[in-house]
Amino acid sequence: MTAATTSRWARLFVAFGALSFVAWQLATLAGLPRRAGVALGLYGFVFHVLFGKAYSLVPSYFDRQLAIPRAPAVHLPLTAVGTLCLALAAATVPGVPSLVGTAGAALWTGGVAVFLAALGWTVRDNLTGAETATGGANEHRRPVDRWANLFVPVALAYLAVGTYGTLALWTPLPPLVDGFSPRVTHLLAAGTATLMVLAVGFRLLPRFLVASPPRPLVAVVLPAGAVAPAILATALYGGIWFRVGAALEGIAVGGFALAYLWLFRRSDRDRVGFYGVLAGAIAGLVGVALGVVFAFDGVSAPLIEGHYRLNVAGFLGLTIVGVSYQFYPPAVGSLPGVGDRTAFVSIGAIAAGLALEVAGLVAAVPLATTAGRGAVLVGALLYAWVVLALFYERHWRKT
């Protein structure tokens, strides 16, 4: 199985993620329980895009080739069906047996086990990431690349623990701590997805923008992002340790946002995807600020909802949208409505929609919240259209 085949499976992961993004916004507008949204948004959208790109990027960043080339083909059906089962079970649809949730958790766990086995076996003799395949014109990036590589196994360890926590929520297995599901969400969203964005981002984004981030920020951001999720997941939602975890996560996401702003301002390049990452960085700043507020001043339902939406749809979601447009440039598309303009509108709709939605939540204005969610849905639909149309036009139509 060649690198081209791995890339084809990566596109299938991204395609499923894009469709899950749309399904998540529909579920949110329909008022389905938040756990259904977490299944579609985090497990379906964020993680499937992350899985697809990790199969392509992580081996090369560790100067290796994927050791189990058929892993993506086994992995995708398991986690895709598992995600849909988890979402269906969490939506509390009448007539859906609890066994659907159990099956979904088991399928998700099986897919993640394949993913971890494939990447773990690939980098087994380079776990610290000291070998980076960095050279030539990028020689000066090697210290940052080595430091970033060091935290990829930490993110994968969070994935293993969070996946066990998911399985324990739906089976008789002993739960993590007390079985409180937001603990699992934080392990996966902050521990795996966010830390992966930080670690891979410090390797990927400087090359996209042809600039270098401030090394002191890189040195601080990654350890803070590695430690914070464990503290947050353990200490939710009160006490001194919860505040410590919130502060560390704020340092991690805030420092990453500052580093990206530095790169963005210093870059001579102008690509539509860069604005998606920029919007994601700003959303992340506001999202962690809300987390710090309720860590120190008390928890409220609107703040929690705003924090969740800004971090998953905003920081993670917009970053994924921006990076997707960099890997799959909209400008090369020729189908109707595919191009940089549509891509830019999708980013603007998601960002503006989240701003309106969160303002409506905080100010208790339901109409604004609903309008904001509608705008995010429009942005998600445009993103899915652009990405799927590009895949069809450049790859699937030819096969």
Side-chain angles (χ1 to χ4, degrees):
M1 190 173 289
T2 64
T5 305
T6 302
S7 295
R8 178 166 60 86
W9 279 101
R11 291 192 295 272
L12 290 172
F13 274 97
V14 173
F16 180 81
L19 293 173
S20 296
F21 191 17
V22 174
W24 175 26
Q25 304 319 308
L26 288 170
T28 303
L29 270 173
L32 294 183
R34 186 186 303 160
R35 285 184 68 183
V38 169
L40 292 169
L42 182 60
Y43 292 67
F45 168 44
V46 170
F47 268 104
H48 278 83
V49 178
L50 184 153
F51 289 144
K53 300 315 296 179
Y55 277 121
S56 300
L57 295 176
V58 171
S60 64
Y61 283 176
F62 281 69
D63 197 19
R64 298 292 185 270
Q65 291 185 336
L66 186 62
I68 309 175
R70 296 189 181 278
V74 178
H75 172 177
L76 178 57
L78 292 172
T79 51
V81 176
T83 295
L84 296 176
C85 289
L86 287 171
L88 188 61
T92 62
V93 177
V96 174
S98 60
L99 184 62
V100 171
T102 303
L107 289 167
W108 171 266
T109 301
V112 169
V114 171
F115 175 75
L116 292 175
L119 289 191
W121 190 249
T122 298
V123 304
R124 65 191 183 280
D125 55 349
N126 186 27
L127 289 176
T128 65
E131 298 175 48
T132 63
T134 303
N138 288 310
E139 184 74 27
H140 63 289
R141 303 189 192 279
R142 184 171 292 169
V144 169
D145 291 350
R146 283 178 171 168
W147 184 239
N149 277 1
L150 189 61
F151 292 89
V152 171
V154 179
L156 298 180
Y158 273 119
L159 176 60
V161 177
T163 295
Y164 171 84
T166 300
L167 189 61
L169 289 173
W170 294 98
T171 67
L173 286 172
L176 294 176
V177 189
D178 55 4
F180 187 40
S181 62
R183 300 189 196 280
V184 176
T185 302
H186 277 78
L187 287 170
L188 292 173
T192 302
T194 297
L195 185 56
M196 203 67 132
V197 166
L198 303 182
V200 173
F202 277 131
R203 293 209 56 173
L204 193 64
L205 296 173
R207 288 165 169 81
F208 282 166
L209 287 95
V210 194
S212 297
R215 289 191 183 180
L217 274 178
V218 179
V220 171
V221 162
L222 289 169
V227 173
I231 299 174
L232 287 171
T234 304
L236 288 175
Y237 275 113
I240 184 64
W241 282 109
F242 179 49
R243 296 175 180 177
V244 170
L248 285 172
E249 191 67 18
I251 290 170
V253 176
F256 180 80
L258 290 175
Y260 182 75
L261 288 170
W262 173 276
L263 293 171
F264 187 84
R265 287 181 59 85
R266 292 175 66 87
S267 178
D268 294 328
R269 294 188 171 187
D270 186 23
R271 303 285 189 277
V272 66
F274 297 166
Y275 293 93
V277 182
L278 178 64
I282 294 169
L285 282 173
V286 181
V288 295
L290 287 182
V292 171
V293 167
F294 64 68
F296 283 85
D297 289 343
V299 175
S300 69
L303 287 181
I304 291 177
E305 183 69 14
H307 171 76
Y308 150 68
R309 292 285 290 174
L310 283 168
N311 282 309
V312 182
F315 176 62
L316 295 173
L318 281 165
T319 300
I320 286 171
V321 168
V323 172
S324 295
Y325 288 151
Q326 186 65 17
F327 278 113
Y328 314 112
V332 305
S334 60
L335 291 176
V338 177
D340 280 350
R341 181 176 299 177
T342 304
F344 192 81
V345 171
S346 73
I347 292 168
I350 295 168
L354 283 171
L356 183 58
E357 175 186 349
V358 173
L361 286 168
V362 174
V365 182
L367 183 60
T369 301
T370 301
R373 289 173 174 173
V376 177
L377 172 60
V378 171
L381 285 166
L382 292 174
Y383 165 69
W385 165 245
V386 170
V387 169
L388 294 176
L390 287 170
F391 290 169
Y392 170 75
E393 184 178 3
R394 297 178 61 190
H395 303 285
W396 298 335
R397 188 167 59 181
K398 300 175 183 178
T399 58

